[in-house]
Amino acid sequence: RKPELPDSDSDGRTQTCQVTITMPLAQVIDVASPTAFDATVSEAVRTAQSTGASVVVLITSDSPNGAPWCPDCRRSDPVIESAVAAHGDDIVLVRSECKRNEYAGNPSFAYRKHNQLRLTAIPTLYKWSSKGPTNKLVEGQCANKELVELLLNEG
Amino acid sequence: TILARRVLRASARPLKGSRMLSWLTGQGDGKVDATMGDAKAVVTSGPGIGEHTYDYDLIVIGGGSGGLSCAKNAAMLGAKVAVCDFVQPSPAGTKWGLGGTCVNVGCIPKKLMHQASLLGEGMSDARSYGWEVPEVTHKWETMVENVQNHIKSINFGYRSELMTEGVKYLNAYAVFSDPHTIDCTDKKGKVTTVTAARFVIAVGGRPRYPEIPGGKELTISSDDLFSLTSPPGTTLCIGASYISLECAGFIQGLGMKAHVMMRSIPLRGFDQQMASQVKNYMQEHGVNFIEQAVPTAVEEAEGGQKKVTWKYADGTVGEGLFDTVLVAIGRDAETTKIGLDKAGVATNPKTGKIPANGEQTNVEHIYAIGDVLDGRPELTPVAIQAGKILAKRLFGGSTKAMDYEGVPTTVFTPLEYGCVGLSEEDAIAAMGEKNVEVYHSYFKPLEWTVPHRGDNACYAKLVVDKRANERVIGLHVCGPNAGEITQGFAVAMKLGATKEVFDDTVGIHPTSAEEFTILKVTKSSGVSAEKAGC
C-alpha cells in the first residue's frame, strides 16, 4: 500500500517519512543441534496444527565461511527459501544445519540413524505430517523449483 | 497361458513352419527370434520429433506400469510427451494416485499383505526355533496405513520422475474426439483439448461385477480391499482367479475366515495339477471352498453383514452370511468410454481389448500396451518392457520387438506357485503325450522341518520335449519364495536349456531351488515322487 503522506503544513513545507513494509514470511524454525531435533519438530507440528499450516523439514549444511560447504545445499538453499516464502503462513520450515566435521564420512551421524529421517544424503527436504515424513526430495532434486513446489503442494 | 492358447491353435494345423515349433526347437546360438509371426517388430513410419504441428510428439493415455514406462523412455529420447491419468472411482468410491493398478490396487499392496500374513506364520514357526513368542494378534488398520503410506510415496515418486523427465502430466480423463485429438476432463469437470502425432493407449482394466442383485452395491473388489479402513472380517471371495485366491489367502492368514466361491476350476489357464496343489494347501489352512457354484444375490443382513445366495451346478442352492463380499470374477478392458470409435481404433468385440501387431493398432499412429492389449499376458513387467521397447522404436530408431514368450510369473497364494513356459496339459496337447516327459518331486524346505510343517505341500516339476533333447519347456514350483526361485530359471529356458543342463548345474544347498538340479523321478515311470532322506 502506498504510505499516506502527511498534508503539507501551513507554511508550505512538506514532510516525508520512511515506511518499511514487511511481507509475511513463512515461519522458519532453526534446530539448534541434532539432539534438539525431535523436540523442535514436535513443537513445529503443534504450532502448524493450530494454524492449519504444513510442515517441511530441511536437513542442509551449515555455512562456516559464509557459504554452505555442501555444493548441492548451496544450490538448493535459495530455491527452497523462496519457494517456502511464497507460501507465507501456509508453511512452517524446520531447518537443521549439519556441521561438516560431524556429518562427512560419519555413518553413525545422528540423522542417519534417526528412525524417521533415515538421512541418506544432504540436502534432504521432507514433507512432514503429524505422524512423520510422507515424501522427500534429495540432493539435486532440492534445487529443482518445480519439484520443490510439487512437494510443498502435494507431498 | 497366452502361450498355451497359441499351442492349442497350432495343433489344428501342421506343426511344420508354425511359430510354436520354432520356439520349441529354439535356435542353437541361444538367441531368441524376435521376428516371430505377429510379434514382428513394427518399425514406425511417421513424423520425426517435432516435425509436425501437433501439441505433442506422443500422448500416453493411462499412467500405469506400461504407460509411465513408455512415456518416460520416449521423453528420454527427446520426444515431447504428455501422460493422461485419471482414476474413475470404484462403485464403493475408492480412488488412488498416479501409477496404475499394480502400484495402487494390485501387485504392490497384494505382495505386502501376503507378506504380512506370512510373517504371522513365521511368528508361529519361531517358537520351534526357540523364540518365546506370546500369542499375537494382527491390527489391520496399522497394516493398511503403512501399506498406503508406501503407495503414496510411489505415487509421489512417479510425479517427480515425470517432472524431472519433462513429461507433462494431465490428471484428466482422456477421450478421443478424432484420430489425433483428445478431450481431457479433470476432476472439476474442466476440459482441455490436446493433440499428438502419436498415441499409446495404456488404460488397463478394472474389475468386473456380477450382474446379480447387490452385485455392485453390496460388494467390494480389489479396487477397495487394500485401503479398507476396517478389517474385512469373514470374507467371501467370488472367483477362481489368482486375485480371488491371493486375497482369500492373506485374509485367512491374518486371522479372519475366508471363503472362496468358484464356478468351476481354480486358476484357469494355469497348470491344473499345480492349481490343485495351491487350493489344497489353502483348504488345509482353513479357507473354505464353495465349488461348482455361482452367486445369485447379495442382500443386506443384520449388523452390516451381507447375505449371499448361490446356486450349485446340480441345481441345489446355498446361502451364507459374510462381513465382506469381494468379487474377483475377471477384469474388463477400459475401452468403452474413451472414444475409440472417433479414433477409428478397433477392439475385439468379445473381450473389449485392443488387438495389435507389434503394439500397433489398426490405426497407424495409435499403439496399445499393457492389460488393454488383446492376447498378451496381463503382467506389469510385460507392460513395462513393451512400453520401453516401443518408445525406442518410435523415437530411438530401434527395430527390436517385444518378446512375449517364456514370460515367468508367480501366484502369491499362501503356498506360492511360480511357473514359466507350458503347463503339462498344454505341452501334451501340443506335442502328444509320447513326446512329453515330466520330471517331478515333492519336497519339504529345510526351514519347515523344525516347526513340523507340510509334508507333501511343496512340489516341483519340469516338463520336457523328448524330441528336442529333453529341452525344458515348462517349469513349475509350489513352495515358499516361488517367485525368487523361478526368475533365474526363466533365463535358462530362454536359452533353450535341456534337462541335462539342469542336471549338470550344481545345486545350492540347502535351498528349495536346488530341487530343479536333482530331479530324477519321471511321471511315466510311475515311481512315487515323495521325498525321503536328507
Side-chain angles (χ1 to χ4, degrees), chain B residues 156-391:
Chain B
F156 181 79
Y158 278 134
R159 291 292 309 277
S160 63
E161 193 176 30
L162 287 186
M163 203 168 257
T164 308
E165 297 298 342
V167 174
K168 174 81 181 162
Y169 165 62
L170 293 163
N171 187 201
Y173 193 81
V175 178
F176 280 98
S177 57
D178 75 40
H180 279 278
T181 311
I182 49 169
D183 294 321
C184 307
T185 308
D186 71 14
K187 65 181 178 205
K188 295 190 177 138
K190 178 168 151 235
V191 182
T192 311
T193 301
V194 274
T195 61
R198 293 181 179 84
F199 291 86
V200 170
I201 300 172
V203 297
R206 291 297 287 272
R208 185 184 311 143
Y209 291 82
E211 284 174 27
I212 58 174
K216 224 176 194 168
E217 303 79 4
L218 298 174
T219 61
I220 61 164
S221 70
S222 55
D223 280 355
D224 314 294
L225 178 65
F226 303 110
S227 54
L228 275 188
T229 48
S230 56
T234 299
T235 305
L236 172 66
C237 296
I238 304 177
S241 59
Y242 68 80
I243 296 179
S244 183
L245 297 187
E246 286 174 342
C247 291
F250 72 70
I251 289 171
Q252 181 79 24
L254 294 176
M256 296 168 276
K257 176 71 183 176
H259 304 254
V260 173
M261 184 180 296
M262 309 195 297
R263 190 171 43 107
S264 63
I265 58 172
L267 298 177
R268 181 179 298 277
F270 287 89
D271 185 289
Q272 282 301 294
Q273 180 194 15
M274 307 307 284
S276 295
Q277 204 65 15
V278 163
K279 171 182 166 258
N280 292 341
Y281 184 92
M282 287 175 70
Q283 276 174 312
E284 281 162 24
H285 284 71
V287 177
N288 174 43
F289 279 78
I290 303 167
E291 300 186 55
Q292 309 271 306
V294 292
T296 47
V298 183
E299 297 159 49
E300 298 236 30
E302 268 178 34
Q305 286 197 305
K306 324 278 183 278
K307 177 171 132 184
V308 180
T309 48
W310 57 83
K311 200 162 80 168
Y312 292 98
D314 64 7
T316 54
V317 296
E319 65 175 50
L321 280 177
F322 308 93
D323 296 317
T324 301
V325 180
L326 179 102
V327 301
I329 56 173
R331 293 176 66 84
D332 290 323
E334 279 286 279
T335 50
T336 53
K337 300 193 180 101
I338 58 173
L340 290 184
D341 52 328
K342 297 275 180 356
V345 174
T347 55
N348 180 333
K350 279 222 282 240
T351 62
K353 294 186 178 191
I354 301 177
N357 186 9
E359 296 80 41
Q360 185 180 46
T361 69
N362 60 308
V363 178
E364 196 185 357
H365 67 278
I366 301 181
Y367 299 79
I369 55 174
D371 286 5
V372 82
L373 256 191
D374 202 30
R376 299 298 191 193
E378 291 179 26
L379 295 167
T380 274
V382 171
I384 292 176
Q385 192 140 308
K388 176 168 155 182
I389 292 178
L390 176 62

Side-chain angles (χ1 to χ4, degrees), chain A residues 124-138:
Chain A
T124 301
L125 181 68
Y126 303 79
K127 189 86 185 285
W128 205 274
S129 76
S130 56
K131 295 188 177 163
T134 54
N135 288 300
K136 64 183 182 182
L137 295 175
V138 183

Side-chain angles (χ1 to χ4, degrees), chain B residues 33-53:
Chain B
D33 181 358
T35 57
M36 303 171 352
D38 68 354
K40 189 173 169 160
V42 174
V43 179
T44 185
S45 52
I49 290 177
E51 291 168 10
H52 55 80
T53 54

